[in-house]
Amino acid sequence: MILLDGKKVSNDIKNEIAAEVAEMKVRGEKVPHLAAIIVGNDGASLTYVASKVKACERVGFESTMVRLPHTTSELELLQKIQELNANDDIDGFIIQLPLPSQINTQKVLMSVDPSKDVDGFHPENFGKMALDMSTFIPATPFGILELLERYNVQTKGKHTVVIGRSHIVGRPMSILMGRKGWPGNSTVTLTHSATKNITQITSQADIIISALGVPNFLKAEMVKEGAVIIDVGITRVPDETKPNGYRISGDVDFENVSKKASYITPVPGGVGPMTIAMLLKNTLLARDQKRMM
Ligand code: GUN
């Protein structure tokens, strides 16, 4: 079994990006600038955004965090987005999800300038991705592709089973793994809450990408010997033995599944750090594209 070490790979990527930023500085160029909007006080969302800001500092990017109260109206958020769209200093920005219920997420995501949409959530960018056009690929799926590529995991002709059809992970992942090219060229099955007899499907999979958010969902008996296992789950589970009162659990019963897997991502330290590294990559791309215009 080989551990797909997202912590190490994401560090390599950050070092690569930091070297590029250092060269920009030598040339006297403006460095990439990422902004993040966060609405409300959700603990997990605040942690994710703080990690994104920290990662910017680490590679030499500029970053701006915009914190809005949980009572923010849709109109107020749309106005803030228009400000960031119009601000030439900002190369890319994200709106941390989920948003409070008074705000229509779809409407908000559609108001982001597609050239600054480093999350790749705008329909224009999502459509381009589905059509194999150059665009921003959502950071988590992009991170999974990068991990497969850097570990030289073969995907051509394999049966990839994706668990979960979220717009952020499962849906784009299912499209990307079926694309012509590498990583890709898989035969993809997208499973979800209405799927019947999921064990019958997962036990035939060469590659399983689980993005469900249910701790320990994927058990050893659901997995074929030698399968590649990608665990996207990061659920906070109450744990009194931990200083902060919780631990992070993936979707996969790691202890038992890892005995059958050929490759497997740990949680934490697998897909999570890759997501942040790829967001930085997308911000670099946004900055480069802006300079070419
Ligand atoms: N919430 C959970 N994952 C993500 C992500 O990749 N981007 C944003 N903006 N919000 C998220």
Side-chain angles (χ1 to χ4, degrees):
M1 181 272 288
I2 294 170
L3 206 62
L4 295 168
D5 188 345
K7 199 167 171 197
K8 183 198 168 290
V9 174
S10 68
N11 257 320
D12 293 346
I13 294 169
K14 284 185 208 158
N15 287 339
E16 292 159 18
I17 295 173
E20 278 193 54
V21 174
E23 282 173 25
M24 286 171 202
K25 284 184 177 161
V26 169
R27 292 193 297 265
E29 294 171 9
K30 180 185 129 22
V31 299
H33 187 168
L34 172 70
I37 303 179
I38 178 159
V39 185
N41 299 309
D42 178 68
S45 290
L46 282 167
T47 307
Y48 297 148
V49 173
S51 311
K52 290 170 186 177
V53 168
K54 202 171 134 208
C56 284
E57 283 168 14
R58 149 96 157 76
V59 298
F61 284 10
E62 278 185 58
S63 66
T64 298
M65 170 141 95
V66 179
R67 275 197 74 174
L68 301 174
H70 73 277
T71 50
T72 301
S73 70
E74 188 177 284
L75 187 62
E76 285 166 330
L77 178 56
L78 291 172
Q79 282 166 347
K80 183 47 83 177
I81 291 169
Q82 289 318 323
E83 258 178 51
L84 297 183
N85 282 342
N87 184 342
D88 264 348
D89 193 55
I90 288 171
D91 299 293
F93 66 97
I94 64 154
I95 301 124
Q96 188 65 30
L97 303 179
L99 289 168
S101 56
Q102 73 274 18
I103 296 172
N104 179 333
T105 302
Q106 210 94 55
K107 200 166 161 188
V108 163
L109 295 179
M110 283 181 70
S111 73
V112 176
D113 178 338
S115 72
K116 294 190 175 190
D117 170 39
V118 287
D119 254 336
F121 293 167
H122 189 286
E124 180 177 318
N125 289 323
F126 205 92
K128 282 182 171 178
M129 177 202 64
L131 295 169
D132 299 333
M133 294 164 75
S134 160
T135 187
F136 301 113
I137 295 175
T140 302
F142 195 10
I144 294 169
L145 294 182
E146 189 79 13
L147 209 49
L148 294 172
E149 190 174 332
R150 293 203 184 210
Y151 277 89
N152 202 21
V153 176
Q154 293 309 300
T155 57
K156 187 177 178 180
K158 305 290 185 192
H159 181 199
T160 294
V161 172
V162 178
I163 307 174
R165 58 182 157 187
S166 73
H167 294 170
I168 295 179
V169 187
R171 186 78 54 81
M173 205 66 237
S174 69
I175 294 168
L176 292 162
M177 289 302 282
R179 286 205 307 191
K180 215 173 214 174
W182 181 70
N185 265 322
S186 267
T187 304
V188 179
T189 304
L190 179 61
T191 66
H192 44 73
S193 52
T195 299
K196 288 190 178 136
N197 207 350
I198 194 162
T199 297
Q200 195 188 353
I201 298 167
T202 55
S203 56
Q204 289 176 31
D206 301 304
I207 301 168
I208 300 177
I209 301 169
S210 186
L212 196 60
V214 177
N216 284 321
F217 171 81
L218 195 76
K219 304 273 194 294
E221 55 271 25
M222 298 170 74
V223 172
K224 185 170 83 173
E225 198 72 44
V228 176
I229 309 292
I230 309 291
D231 189 350
V232 190
I234 32 167
T235 309
R236 289 182 172 197
V237 178
D239 185 340
E240 283 170 13
T241 67
K242 301 285 175 193
N244 45 16
Y246 66 85
R247 68 189 148 82
I248 300 294
S249 172
D251 287 354
V252 177
D253 174 6
F254 185 88
E255 191 188 337
N256 296 306
V257 172
S258 59
K259 290 174 188 150
K260 291 176 95 176
S262 55
Y263 295 87
I264 187 166
T265 59
V267 175
V271 174
M274 291 301 294
T275 296
I276 294 177
M278 302 323 273
L279 178 65
L280 299 176
K281 257 201 144 159
N282 276 344
T283 307
L284 191 59
L285 182 69
R287 176 257 184 205
D288 290 347
Q289 282 179 349
K290 197 161 95 187
R291 287 173 64 83
M292 285 191 307
M293 286 198 305

